[in-house]
Amino acid sequence: PRSAAEPNATTRARDCQIKRPRAARGGVAVVINGSDPSRVYPLIDRDELKASLGLTSEHKVVVYIGRIAVEKNVQALIDAVEHLDESWHAVIIGPQYVPLDRLGPRVHLLPAQRRIGNWLGIADVLCHPSDYESHCFSINEAWLAGVPVVSCDYLVNRLFEERHGPMMWLVPIRPEPSRLAKAIGEAFANRDDRRVTHARDLATREYSAPVMGRRWSETICQAVLMLP
């Protein structure tokens, strides 16, 4: 049993300094995703990891991280590699649920990796040619790591850019391989573009795990304050 001196839930909620609880639309509160910033930092030297794939420091790497499924359209990235110069290699990381074709010597297929920051550390570009996503953690982690992102102009990506301004290089859904390759090349050539630093700073400020945790706490506090 709780002692009389122990604060109850309402007291703890008031300690959150929420002056007026905001009623969620339709009784539903939405807490936006956030990624753990500590996951995106590499613990292995970039050149050492590239060497483990048979690559030199001069090779460029486009990375995909996620499920290999129909709606992820990973085949588009594999086909796009053929439209990039010989210095480009693709590293595709994730569990495979569908077969992939035309896997050439410049495509490296890996299972899910525990330390994703190591692979973001060798990524010159992250490419996610999905048909749709909600709030994609891989893209979010690439933003935090300062890696240029190429993706498709599905609804969530359009909403992100309508709200925050340019953050990615977007191509049509189910892009032609040559169009996807062009976007990858543009993202690499403009890797110091403001949209990369803007995405990194925005993700740190709005879409990181500490921010998500704070929003969760605020939502719970508000819910408690609304109790009769």
Side-chain angles (χ1 to χ4, degrees), residues 17 20 42 57 67 76 97 111 115 123 141 149-151 153 162 165 183 207 213 223:
Q17 298 181 349
R20 186 185 306 111
S57 60
R67 291 182 300 110
Y97 298 100
R115 184 69 197 182
E141 289 172 339
V149 172
V150 172
S151 190
D153 62 349
E162 286 173 11
Y207 304 122

Side-chain angles (χ1 to χ4, degrees), residues 55-126:
L55 308 181
T56 71
S57 60
E58 301 303 314
H59 284 106
K60 298 186 284 289
V61 178
V62 54
V63 172
Y64 168 87
I65 302 168
R67 291 182 300 110
I68 300 170
V70 171
E71 68 275 12
K72 302 298 185 178
N73 195 26
V74 178
Q75 188 66 51
L77 173 56
I78 293 170
D79 294 341
V81 171
E82 296 302 315
H83 295 265
L84 294 165
D85 68 55
E86 293 292 323
S87 67
W88 279 96
H89 283 241
V91 175
I92 296 169
I93 300 170
Q96 185 171 353
Y97 298 100
V98 294
L100 296 171
D101 300 323
R102 297 180 291 283
L103 289 171
R106 291 196 287 147
V107 177
H108 307 266
L109 197 59
L110 302 175
Q113 302 292 304
R114 180 176 295 276
R115 184 69 197 182
I116 212 63
N118 292 336
W119 301 97
L120 289 171
I122 70 167
D124 293 294
V125 175
L126 180 98

